[in-house]
Amino acid sequence: MKSLEEIRDMLKSGCQPVDAINELDKLISDEPENEAAILERGMLHWGAGSRALAINDFHSALALNPESLARQALQNANDILDYYTKDLYNP
């Protein structure tokens, strides 16, 4: 099993996000209290378009640490999902 830093290094060297998510799944199953790994997985899910999985991870990270950066990530996600402009629907 890889550490969070090793997984981040994998991403920097060009590995596919799905491979990093799989490694993070293994890490989180062994360390369910690893808030940083859960947040990282949430960010990768968001980038991959899996919005619900990302938001679930942000909530999980917040449950572990109310001061987590997941608070801002969740706020940003909600802002994006709540965006509405009538001009997009009525050209």
Side-chain angles (χ1 to χ4, degrees), residues 53-86:
L53 293 173
I55 290 170
N56 286 341
D57 279 344
F58 298 155
H59 279 290
S60 296
L62 270 175
L64 293 171
N65 176 8
E67 302 302 318
S68 170
L69 292 175
R71 177 179 302 285
Q72 185 62 46
L74 183 60
Q75 182 61 49
N76 291 345
N78 286 329
D79 288 346
I80 290 168
L81 294 174
D82 288 342
Y83 179 76
Y84 171 80
T85 178
K86 66 178 181 150

Side-chain angles (χ1 to χ4, degrees), residues 19-31:
D19 296 330
I21 289 171
N22 290 335
E23 289 297 326
L24 285 164
D25 287 341
K26 293 175 195 173
L27 177 61
I28 292 166
S29 71
D30 284 349
E31 300 175 22

Side-chain angles (χ1 to χ4, degrees), residues 32-63:
E33 303 293 312
N34 190 333
E35 172 259 328
I38 294 169
L39 176 59
E40 187 79 26
R41 184 177 68 180
M43 299 293 244
L44 288 171
H45 278 308
W46 185 268
S50 300
R51 305 300 191 229
L53 293 173
I55 290 170
N56 286 341
D57 279 344
F58 298 155
H59 279 290
S60 296
L62 270 175

